[in-house]
Each structure stands twice: as structure tokens, then as C-alpha cells.
Amino acid sequence: GYPYTRDKIIKEARVDIPPLLRDKIWAALLNVTGNVPVNYDNIDKESFTPTDRQIEVDIPRCHQYHQLLASPTAHGKFKRLLKAWVVSHPGLVYWQGLDSLCAPFLSLNFNDEALAHSCLKSFIPKYLYNFFLKDNSPIIQEYLAVFCHLIAFHDPELFIHLDETGFQPELYAIPWFLTMFTHVFPLHKIYHLWDTLLLGNSSFPLYIGMAILQQLRAQLLTYGFNECILLFSDMPEIDIERCVQDSIKIFQSTPKSVAARQHDYRPNEKHEGKVKAKTEKEFLPVEQLKSEKCPRLSLQDMLQIMDIRNGDKTDYAAKSPSKTQSKSWGLVVDIRHPEDYNRGHLSGSINMPSNQTFSDDNELVPCDSATTLQAAKGKIIIVLGGRANNCPKFAEKLLNLVFPRLCVLDAGGMAAMRTIGLMSVFPI
Amino acid sequence: MDQNQNCHKNNEFLFKVLIIGDVAVGKSSIMKRFAENVFDRKYGSTIGVDFKTKKLKLGGKAVKLQIWDTAGHERFRSITSAFYRGAHGIVLVYDVTRMETFTNIPKWLQELDLQDYNCTVKILFGNKSDLSSERDVPRETAFKYADSNNMFLFETSAKTGNSVNEAFEHLVSRMLVAFHEAESTATKPILSGDLSTCILSEQEKIIAGSGCSC
């Protein structure tokens, strides 16, 4: 039985989660183990805490259209659950929204408060790590900046429009993510959405957010600031099944490092103690992250996209440059000076010197490389260059020409490539 | 300023109104009652900011209000205060059935002062006036306080709709007066702030459509 059958449960859950078993399956997906009832019993849910007042005003307005949750019994359970969470997380605090987040677990495990509590307790560190810190603004700011990058990556047209309109995610997406959409959708939609979310990683909510925008993109593109913000003030009808399918597609077509966040890294995880590999994602300070319009890509992801096996030089060198390019689903644009490029570059990359690529009106100057780039539209385009080149700016100019799937290689990527012997001189 | 003068020529105005106050005093309900004439509470408390618009005509002038509803939970203030900028009017709300929400009003005013809202029109709403049996804030105390702070007070009920429209209309008339005073006495606009500029520029398009060149 569970937990030994967990892998099997996950496999089955990918196909479908039967509503009658949802409570147990969710607990399994969240890896809830240990003596759940005893653990819950041991928490003091009765003594006064300064948060009580806030919890008391929030509960009577949380998902009250739901008959079960509107009952006095439910309010009592709600209060105990929230108090139990607050008491057992001394480093974290109650933020409004935690009540909404609790609602799916309470309604599912109405007669098993202990299990509802364990689920909430496992859910938050997985998807909302440190979101409930007293000062969570660095976490939220990074999260929203990464969300912006995802919009730019997948839908440059929408990104440009929203950016010009000034309709920034701070205005609409905080309740989406802080409550994992429980503040914007009714519970029956949340069950459906979370059935998939719980199978996804900690970046999955970002893809759901992207899927919501995609479903509304036709309207958003014609809307100005007021209409955009009004649209999300009362979340319009969203086809949740479509949203689920779209978010899976977006997940599959997003390189992992594009959605990676510094604040998602937990101490005590396998990363600790280990020297960070040179190919892993480098994180930028949030201000820089916000100023750059396109996401950064780790070298690791680039090697995977370009189908280059790291450390296996013989295999790699055996490939002709054209073969590498045709097999991959990306295009590497090296924006260094041609002299530097000729001294050594990645096989299959094209050279588009930053000072020669764009005309005065920011169009592409016609040349062979520009033709190759145009033909690669839709592939992942990876901009790389030395520290002297402004790669983010270059990517931004391409973004304004409505190139999708743009990203910039991590700043240390070039040096790391040299170290592992990927910068080879090829006959021209 | 140009845009406002132009809008004025056309007798069209856009004002940004901010609703602030303690948790669960009924800020969102007031906004919904005024903008859509409904009373409902959906999935929970306000997280971050919410927003509605409302058009009205007052003394032959067409006014569009852009109403920003903010989270009452103080933790959200670091997020919401960015949206305070550029407000022309501020609605301070307390709950007549909870004294502490009233005694916190000076704290909210202080918060505004820190952000230099001295010249913004402010109005006080004592909400939940329908719950007369639970009243905790005496009328006299509240009106005395409002008087001494040069604010108008309306006791409102978002639930029944009582006095909500009147209170907003009063706010609008005061904002129009403030606008004309500023226009006649200063070259500097009273209306300023980055965010409002970006919103106004959006509004320009709407106004431009109706024949205003701003």
C-alpha cells in the first residue's frame, strides 16, 4: 500500500483522478506521510494568537457560495486548520489568501481535518516556497519578473502590447499565484486545475498563468489599460480543460532554466555542499531581471536544445556543423565581433555582430545570417556574446520584431563553453 | 496638465479614486455597489488591488472614475502603496460596528501624508450602517472627528446601497472644485504621478475618440 505504491498512483493520476478518490490521491501526490492524525492532534489550535482576528474576518467571506464551506461547522474547521498552519510555521506568517488556499483541501477532506492540514502543509513549500514570509516582496517580485519573461518567450506580440499598455502582472497576477488560482476560480474548477498542477513542478503555476493569458489574448490585444484591468477584476469564464492542456504544452515547450527562480532553491537540498556546475543557471539580481525583457538560459539547457552532449567531445566533433543545426530545435546567434567569432565559436551558430545587425529603424539588415534567422523563426533563438556585448538589448530588439522563443545565454556561459572545449575553430 | 485642460474643454474628466481602510470594513463591497450596483463577495478578501470604472454626469460634466480597491491587510501595503500614486480622491472606510477600524483612520491618514497626499480630496465612509443594533462607533464621535479633520463623512451601507451614490457624488463634486482651483491658481498640475500618467494616456485614446485632442 501507500507510500510504497506512490509511483503507481502518480502514473494513474496522469491519466485521470477519480473525484471520489481525489482526497487520498492528492495526499499521495503531495507525498503526505507519517502519522497524520497524531501530528495534527499535537498542534495547539485553541490558544489565542495575534492572527486570530484576521482569520476570523477572512473565513466568513471565503468561497461562501460553496454550501459546505458556508456552514458554521466549516468555519470552525477552517479556523482550526489555519491556526494549526500558523502555529506550526513560526518563520512564516498568515497572509490573506491562505484562507482561499486552504479551501480546496478543507472541502475535499471535510471529515478529515488532519489530512487537510497535512496536504496544505506539503503544498505550500512545494509551490509557494517562502511566499508566506513576513517580507515576501523579493520572492513575489522575482516570480512576476519570470512570468513576464515567459510571456515574452511564448507570445511576443502580447508581451509588447501589455508592456506598452503598462498592464503589468503586479496588477493582476498576485492573487493568481499567491493563492494558486483559488482566489480567481470556483472550487469545481480548482479541483480540475490542481489535478494537473499537483503532478507538475514548482514552475507549473507560471505555465497555468500563461495559459490563462493565451485564452484571453484576442481580447487583451485589443484592450487598453482600463479594459485589461477590468477584465481581470472579474475573471472571465475560462475553459479549464483547455487551460490545463495549454499549460502542459507550455511546460513542454519551455526550457527549464527559463522558468527557474533563485528563490525556489531550498537549502538542505541536493544542491547544498555540491559545487554548482558551470552549466547550471546563474541568477540575476531582481532589478536586472526586471530590466531584461527576455529570459536567460542556462548552458545546460542550451546544450540540450542544440543536441550537444556535454563532455563527449569526440561524438560532438564528429558531427558536421550543418548536421548539428538540422537536428536541433534551436538557433544560436553569436553577436560578437566577427574577429572574435572566427577565433572560435560554437558549431552551428550564426554570427550577427551587434553593431551590424540592425538598421537605424531597428529592422534586420539583410544578409545571409538574417535570412537564416528569419527562417528559424519559431525555433528557440539563443543570443550569446561576450561581456562587452549587450546581449539582453540585442534580444530585446529581436523581440520587438516579434521573434518568439528568444533567450539570452547566462553571462558565464561563454567562458564555461570555452572551459569544456565547445568553442572550436571551423573552416569557413 | 495639457491633457486635463483639454479634457476640461470637452467637459470630460477622469479621476482616480483610491479606497483604503482596515480589513473587512467593506471596501470592495462599496466599490461593487457603486460601480455595478451589486452586493456579492465571491471567493474571498482582496489580494493586492482590484479595480472598477464608473461613469457619471454631475452638473453637466461627464466624469469617469477609475476606482482602485486595495487590500486592507497591512502586509499588502508594500505592494498596494505603489498604486496610491496619482490618486485624485481618497475614500477612507471604517466599519461602524467595529471601533478599532475607526480609531485606525488617523493611521491611514498618516500613511497618505508620508506619500504626500496633502492636497488630495479625502472623504470618510462609515460603512455597515444597516447593522444598527451592532453599532460601536457613535455618530457624533465620527462626525466630530470628520469635522475637525476637514473631511466629509457619510454613513453608508454597501449591503443596502444606502448613501453610497450620494457619498461618491459628493466626492466627485469636491474633486471638480479642487481641479478648477488648481487650474486657476497654479500652472503646476495637482494631478501627478507616474502611474496616473500612464493611465491617463490610455484615457486619452478614449477621449480622443470623442473629439478631444489631448
Side-chain angles (χ1 to χ4, degrees):
Chain A
Y2 179 78
Y4 303 104
T5 51
R6 185 164 180 262
D7 290 346
K8 220 173 157 190
I9 296 171
I10 294 173
K11 215 176 141 198
E12 291 288 330
R14 287 193 199 281
V15 183
D16 185 36
I17 296 180
L20 285 173
L21 298 175
R22 185 174 275 131
D23 50 344
K24 302 287 185 295
I25 294 174
W26 277 19
L29 297 179
L30 286 165
N31 215 356
V32 170
T33 49
N35 197 332
V36 171
V38 169
N39 291 344
Y40 188 61
D41 273 350
N42 287 339
I43 302 168
D44 174 9
K45 299 172 283 287
E46 305 304 325
S47 304
F48 172 83
T49 72
T51 315
D52 291 6
R53 172 93 203 98
Q54 184 64 52
I55 291 174
E56 275 162 23
V57 288
D58 286 345
I59 290 170
R61 45 188 188 157
C62 179
H63 288 271
Q64 292 300 294
Y65 58 88
H66 191 278
Q67 280 188 341
L68 212 50
L69 295 189
S71 65
T73 317
H75 289 187
K77 287 171 185 287
F78 234 138
K79 190 175 168 188
R80 282 194 296 277
L81 277 171
L82 291 172
K83 276 176 71 86
W85 187 89
V86 172
V87 168
S88 45
H89 295 86
L92 303 175
V93 296
Y94 177 86
W95 278 77
Q96 278 186 324
L98 189 68
D99 49 335
S100 300
L101 204 52
C102 187
F105 295 121
L106 174 59
S107 60
L108 267 191
N109 302 287
F110 201 72
N111 293 313
D112 193 345
E113 257 177 70
L115 191 59
H117 175 255
S118 289
C119 287
L120 181 69
K121 206 178 148 123
S122 304
F123 181 91
I124 289 175
K126 184 167 181 197
Y127 297 102
L128 292 163
Y129 184 62
N130 278 343
F131 268 66
F132 292 92
L133 278 179
K134 195 166 184 195
D135 178 16
N136 62 5
S137 74
I139 291 97
I140 291 194
Q141 282 190 42
E142 185 193 31
Y143 205 90
L144 298 179
V146 170
F147 186 54
C148 278
H149 286 169
L150 272 179
I151 306 172
F153 186 80
H154 287 290
D155 197 340
E157 192 187 355
L158 186 64
F159 176 86
I160 293 164
H161 176 72
L162 297 180
D163 197 41
E164 278 173 357
T165 316
F167 186 56
Q168 66 227 64
E170 279 77 1
L171 288 164
Y172 61 92
I174 292 171
W176 295 9
F177 297 126
L178 186 68
T179 72
M180 284 296 128
F181 308 97
T182 54
H183 194 264
V184 285
F185 293 130
L187 284 170
H188 68 273
K189 287 191 173 181
I190 288 295
Y191 296 148
H192 193 153
L193 190 65
W194 280 21
D195 279 352
T196 301
L197 170 69
L198 293 176
L199 290 163
N201 62 14
S202 61
S203 299
F204 202 81
L206 291 161
Y207 309 133
I208 296 176
M210 191 60 224
I212 294 174
L213 289 184
Q214 272 188 353
Q215 211 169 115
L216 300 167
R217 83 182 291 273
Q219 291 167 68
L220 289 169
L221 282 173
T222 58
Y223 283 177
F225 181 88
N226 281 346
E227 296 144 303
C228 282
I229 199 169
L230 278 173
L231 184 72
F232 286 131
S233 167
D234 279 312
M235 180 65 99
E237 203 56 43
I238 293 285
D239 179 341
I240 282 290
E241 177 55 21
R242 206 183 123 196
C243 177
V244 165
Q245 296 310 325
D246 287 349
S247 51
I248 295 171
K249 273 184 218 146
I250 294 163
F251 160 68
Q252 288 165 341
S253 58
T254 310
K256 217 171 113 202
S257 57
V258 163
R261 293 174 295 119
Q262 182 162 29
H263 290 294
D264 195 30
Y265 274 74
R266 286 99 166 134
N268 309 323
E269 252 187 22
K270 45 184 184 265
H271 294 275
E272 203 196 30
K274 197 178 102 182
V275 181
K276 213 173 133 194
K278 287 198 173 83
T279 53
E280 268 177 57
K281 171 97 169 179
E282 295 165 32
F283 293 105
L284 303 174
V286 72
E287 284 314 315
Q288 193 183 345
L289 198 68
K290 280 169 132 178
S291 70
E292 295 186 4
K293 308 242 161 161
C294 296
R296 293 278 187 154
L297 190 77
S298 70
L299 180 55
Q300 203 171 30
D301 277 354
M302 187 183 92
L303 297 181
Q304 209 186 344
I305 291 162
M306 301 310 293
D307 199 31
I308 297 167
R309 262 172 263 174
N310 183 12
D312 192 356
K313 265 173 75 184
T314 35
D315 177 75
Y316 156 72
K319 285 178 190 162
S320 72
S322 61
K323 198 178 159 201
T324 310
Q325 200 183 329
S326 64
K327 263 189 87 178
S328 68
W329 32 298
L331 176 70
V332 175
V333 180
D334 190 325
I335 69 166
R336 289 173 304 159
H337 193 273
E339 234 171 67
D340 296 328
Y341 179 80
N342 291 334
R343 237 176 258 145
H345 59 262
L346 182 75
S347 144
S349 65
I350 59 170
N351 187 217
M352 299 188 84
S354 50
N355 57 345
Q356 297 166 30
T357 299
F358 299 99
S359 62
D360 289 342
D361 53 355
N362 285 320
E363 295 291 331
L364 283 174
V365 175
C367 66
D368 286 352
S369 295
T371 313
T372 311
L373 181 65
Q374 289 284 8
K377 212 167 184 171
K379 282 190 176 189
I380 295 177
I381 294 167
I382 305 158
V383 177
L384 57 81
R387 299 210 181 252
N389 309 107
N390 193 341
C391 293
K393 191 77 206 159
F394 188 97
E396 192 181 324
K397 285 184 177 174
L398 289 182
L399 180 71
N400 287 329
L401 295 171
V402 206
F403 274 89
R405 302 191 173 194
L406 283 165
C407 44
V408 176
L409 184 67
D410 275 343
M414 189 75 101
M417 279 162 68
R418 222 169 259 129
T419 321
I420 54 178
L422 288 173
M423 304 291 273
S424 318
V425 186
F426 294 92
I428 306 163
Chain B
M1 192 60 189
D2 282 352
Q3 45 194 241
N4 293 316
Q5 279 171 337
N6 284 336
C7 298
H8 170 219
K9 268 179 215 155
N10 236 24
N11 269 337
E12 294 223 20
F13 295 86
L14 172 82
F15 290 126
K16 175 173 174 176
V17 175
L18 196 69
I19 308 182
I20 56 176
D22 274 11
V23 163
V25 295
K27 297 179 293 296
S28 304
S29 298
I30 285 171
M31 177 173 80
K32 284 203 172 125
R33 169 61 73 191
F34 178 60
E36 295 167 351
N37 202 20
V38 291
F39 183 72
D40 77 317
R41 38 161 79 106
K42 263 188 137 175
Y43 315 132
S45 51
T46 306
I47 296 185
V49 287
D50 197 4
F51 178 99
K52 293 261 179 275
T53 58
K54 169 90 175 175
K55 282 181 188 167
L56 66 162
K57 269 207 178 298
L58 206 71
K61 290 171 178 122
V63 177
K64 187 166 178 177
L65 294 185
Q66 200 181 59
I67 309 165
W68 294 71
D69 173 27
T70 59
H73 198 177
E74 62 178 310
R75 296 202 204 297
F76 283 105
R77 223 156 302 162
S78 60
I79 297 164
T80 54
S81 57
F83 302 110
Y84 287 13
R85 272 177 290 162
H88 309 120
I90 288 167
V91 174
L92 291 130
V93 187
Y94 67 91
D95 174 352
V96 298
T97 71
R98 284 193 290 141
M99 187 49 120
E100 79 269 19
T101 65
F102 175 72
T103 49
N104 273 339
I105 291 289
K107 281 193 197 159
W108 285 103
L109 283 171
Q110 228 172 10
E111 174 115 358
L112 293 173
D113 283 345
L114 288 176
Q115 305 206 31
D116 197 23
Y117 282 89
N118 294 317
C119 51
T120 316
V121 180
K122 298 181 201 83
I123 185 168
L124 197 56
F125 280 38
N127 196 36
K128 307 195 187 177
S129 65
D130 54 295
L131 303 173
S132 48
S133 61
E134 295 168 41
R135 179 184 282 277
D136 193 22
V137 184
R139 282 180 67 91
E140 310 74 55
T141 316
F143 276 99
K144 216 169 136 187
Y145 172 79
D147 264 356
S148 58
N149 284 278
N150 197 24
M151 281 188 291
F152 264 82
L153 166 67
F154 286 82
E155 287 201 342
T156 57
S157 166
K159 194 172 177 181
T160 65
N162 185 45
S163 294
V164 173
N165 285 343
E166 292 85 335
F168 271 102
E169 278 167 20
H170 178 81
L171 174 70
V172 170
S173 63
R174 294 263 315 270
M175 287 192 296
L176 285 168
V177 170
F179 173 83
H180 289 301
E181 276 174 6
E183 197 186 35
S184 58
T185 57
T187 49
K188 223 177 121 225
I190 48 157
L191 317 169
S192 58
D194 325 350
L195 199 64
S196 79
T197 319
C198 97
I199 299 154
L200 281 167
S201 64
E202 179 47 41
Q203 187 63 13
E204 283 166 29
K205 293 179 198 159
I206 301 165
I207 294 162
S210 63
C212 178
S213 60
C214 57

